[in-house]
Amino acid sequence: GAVGYLNMNGEELYFLGYEFKAHEGIQSPYYSKGKKYIGGLIGYVLGENKSDSYLSISNVKIAANVISPQESEDYGYVGGLYGYITNVEARIISSTVGTGSVEISGPFKVGGLIGEISSSNLYSDNTFDMSGSSPKIPSKSSFYHNFYGDVRPYNQCAARYIGGAIGNMVDSEVSGIHVQANVTGGGNYTGGVVGFISHSNDYKLKNCTFSGIVRGRSYAGGVVGE
């Protein structure tokens, strides 16, 4: 939607007050080689180190269908914000992807916000404090939607790694994400927030909430598929 490929060498990038609407949506062209990285904002983000490569959006609204119109797992990595991010700290402040009718779809690793996040941190200001003597679960109305729409396979293919926020999460930390979505997986690993989590080191998934419907063939969960 804004940038195809971004190489961050310990730098900071901010999107401020950005509104993007694409009625026809964003689609990957067909190539005979390679995997597709398609994002409503950035397709592929490579950071040097998540402690000093910052990717921040504030007061951003994106209303675009982001689609990989393929039925093969050689294609995918589709996200309403980013197709793929690695080695960065990503922040979402008062920002929303979707208007309820937005569709994020593809054959492999598809997320309302990010197709795949690797060795990175993703934070939103949708946080709540459950400490104290009488903690209370906050009402749904106290959160704004980080993603609001549909996440699904392209053309009902047997898509795997489908998440309301993130398709696949690898060695990362994700916090404060609120999703309202219909999430449909054609194959394994479908989750309301994250489709699949894999890790060789520590990982954290905290302060994340989901409202909507999850449909999957196997390994399906309201928060995490597997």
Side-chain angles (χ1 to χ4, degrees):
V3 180
Y5 176 85
L6 177 66
N7 191 338
M8 303 182 70
N9 295 311
E11 298 153 336
E12 300 182 9
L13 176 64
Y14 296 88
F15 286 91
L16 305 175
Y18 180 92
E19 183 170 7
F20 178 70
K21 295 181 180 179
H23 299 291
E24 295 182 358
I26 301 169
Q27 295 191 11
S28 69
Y30 182 89
Y31 289 110
S32 61
K33 294 182 180 180
K35 295 181 178 178
K36 304 297 101 179
Y37 301 94
I38 314 119
L41 200 56
I42 305 176
Y44 187 108
V45 182
L46 173 63
E48 184 178 73
N49 192 306
K50 65 183 178 182
S51 63
D52 56 15
S53 296
Y54 296 100
L55 187 61
S56 181
I57 65 173
S58 181
N59 294 303
V60 169
K61 295 181 180 180
I62 297 179
N65 298 325
V66 185
I67 301 168
S68 175
Q70 314 297 335
E71 298 185 36
S72 167
E73 287 192 1
D74 288 336
Y75 301 86
Y77 298 86
V78 184
L81 279 179
Y82 313 116
Y84 174 84
I85 66 173
T86 184
N87 294 322
V88 299
E89 179 168 309
R91 303 166 181 165
I92 302 175
I93 310 300
S94 301
S95 298
T96 300
V97 175
T99 59
S101 59
V102 159
E103 176 184 329
I104 314 297
S105 66
F108 187 62
K109 296 184 178 179
V110 182
L113 298 177
I114 303 172
E116 178 171 290
I117 179 173
S118 176
S119 300
S120 299
N121 297 329
L122 173 66
Y123 299 129
S124 168
D125 51 346
N126 260 327
T127 58
F128 53 89
D129 184 4
M130 293 296 289
S131 63
S133 58
S134 300
K136 295 182 179 179
I137 297 174
S139 66
K140 173 183 163 184
S141 61
S142 67
F143 302 108
Y144 70 88
H145 303 123
N146 294 115
F147 177 77
Y148 183 28
D150 294 339
V151 184
R152 64 182 64 176
Y154 173 73
N155 198 26
Q156 299 182 340
C157 65
R160 300 187 298 148
Y161 304 90
I162 310 296
I166 299 167
N168 190 39
M169 172 178 159
V170 183
D171 292 335
S172 296
E173 180 172 322
V174 175
S175 176
I177 300 299
H178 176 57
V179 174
Q180 181 166 336
N182 292 320
V183 184
T184 304
N188 296 340
Y189 320 129
T190 307
V193 179
V194 182
F196 186 91
I197 297 177
S198 61
H199 61 97
S200 57
N201 301 306
D202 292 339
Y203 74 93
K204 291 182 181 179
L205 181 68
K206 62 183 182 180
N207 291 352
C208 293
T209 56
F210 172 77
S211 177
I213 299 173
V214 176
R215 301 178 181 91
R217 290 192 176 181
S218 58
Y219 303 98
V223 177
V224 178
E226 192 201 26

